[in-house]
Every structure is written in C-alpha cells, then in structure tokens.
Amino acid sequence: NDMGKPHDISCSSIFRKAGTYPKWQIFWSITGNEVNSIRPMRSCDLESVLQVHMDAFQGFFLTFLGPSFLREFYLGVCEDPSGIAIVHGDDPVSGFVVGTVEPSGFYRRLIQKRWWKFGLASIQPVIQKPSIIPRLLRAFTLPGDALNSQPGAGTLMSLAVRRNCQG
C-alpha cells in the first residue's frame, strides 16, 4: 500500500468519517485468475480516470471543458473534507465513482480553493465557445443551492466504467 507517499492525493476525509468506510481502503476480489481492487483514488490514477471520463461522457458539458478542467474538479473532490473518490483497478483504472457526503457548500469550497485553476482551465473552452460562460457560472452556483434542501444526504457526482470493462 503506497497511500502514505507524499505524491499521493487521496480522499483522506473518508477515513475520518463514521466507521463504514475503512473497509473500502483496500478491497480485493478474485475473478478467475484476475485480482481486482476497489480503493480510494490517488493522484497517479488521475490520467486514467480522465480517459474513462472523456470516453464515457462524450458530448457532455464537463467533457467539453476538457481534461485540465476535469483534473481540477477530481483533485478538488479528493482534497475536500467531504469528498469521496473511489476507483476500481490499477493502471489503468477500469472505473470510478466520486461524490460528497456533505453537498451543502461543496461547490463554494471548491471554487474558493481552486478558482484560479478553474479559470485557467476554462480559457480554451470559453475561447472556442463564448456562449458557455453563463452555463459555466451556473454549474458552480446552482448545484449547491439545489442540494441544500436535502440535509444529511450525500451526492453522487460522477460514475463511469471503461467501455471494455462493462458488462
């Protein structure tokens, strides 16, 4: 387990949550001759997660914003105290799921911490299609407002599986 290495970014907040999560830290299953793992996302998983996302969500708004924007989003989920990011498989990741256990305020915290990185990542998509500016701004304001009405509920933000692993 290399979770403690300084270059790894994991959703450490998960380990501070109630006792249900630690069982997911490393979960091994054997299917035929193949060993699979379900574990927290690490920084070394990001490129693979981005590939799965770009393939699974072709034509979607976040995909249009590009890999730089998505990288900041997924890193933001991992770094947020309420973030959950789980992957399946190793090099490459075959699937992932991300969300938050405290959606109220998540997007506000995300923007406060990473606004300039999101701004830089948005430059190229905005130049390509300036009409996305209002939708881009709404993407970071409305979800939190809508989620505030459900206290105690978590939010699934993204779930995808590599095409050749579906079935």
Side-chain angles (χ1 to χ4, degrees):
N1 184 348
D2 61 355
M3 292 274 304
K5 291 184 180 176
H7 68 276
D8 284 337
I9 296 172
S10 66
C11 295
S12 59
S13 64
I14 293 169
F15 300 109
R16 291 190 299 265
K17 299 295 176 197
T20 58
Y21 182 75
K23 65 184 176 184
W24 288 100
Q25 184 174 0
I26 298 291
F27 174 80
W28 296 97
S29 64
I30 299 174
T31 307
N33 293 328
E34 190 177 320
V35 177
N36 298 307
S37 66
I38 297 172
R39 59 179 173 70
M41 184 186 300
R42 300 183 303 242
S43 59
C44 61
D45 299 319
L46 275 176
E47 294 309 311
S48 188
V49 166
L50 295 177
Q51 290 172 353
V52 173
H53 179 108
M54 299 294 280
D55 185 46
F57 298 109
Q58 294 175 10
F60 283 65
F61 181 64
L62 286 178
T63 305
F64 171 76
L65 295 175
S68 295
F69 193 94
L70 288 169
R71 185 176 293 104
E72 293 307 320
F73 175 73
Y74 287 126
L75 281 172
V77 171
C78 285
E79 292 172 357
D80 190 80
S82 73
I84 297 175
I86 307 293
V87 297
H88 177 268
D90 288 305
D91 199 28
V93 165
S94 57
F96 69 92
V97 59
V98 298
T100 176
V101 295
E102 297 171 5
S104 177
F106 172 81
Y107 289 98
R108 180 181 39 78
R109 289 188 305 274
L110 187 66
I111 291 299
Q112 285 176 343
K113 285 187 173 185
R114 308 183 86 78
W115 66 268
W116 62 276
K117 291 179 180 182
F118 280 117
L120 288 174
S122 300
I123 291 172
Q124 183 177 354
V126 166
I127 289 171
Q128 288 176 335
K129 192 173 181 182
S131 63
I132 68 165
I133 293 171
R135 185 170 180 190
L136 187 59
L137 295 174
R138 278 193 313 270
F140 286 103
T141 56
L142 291 181
D145 294 343
L147 298 171
N148 285 338
S149 63
Q150 300 175 354
T155 297
L156 173 65
M157 296 174 178
S158 188
L159 178 144
V161 176
R162 192 175 294 277
R163 288 185 191 274
N164 65 337
C165 297
Q166 296 176 4

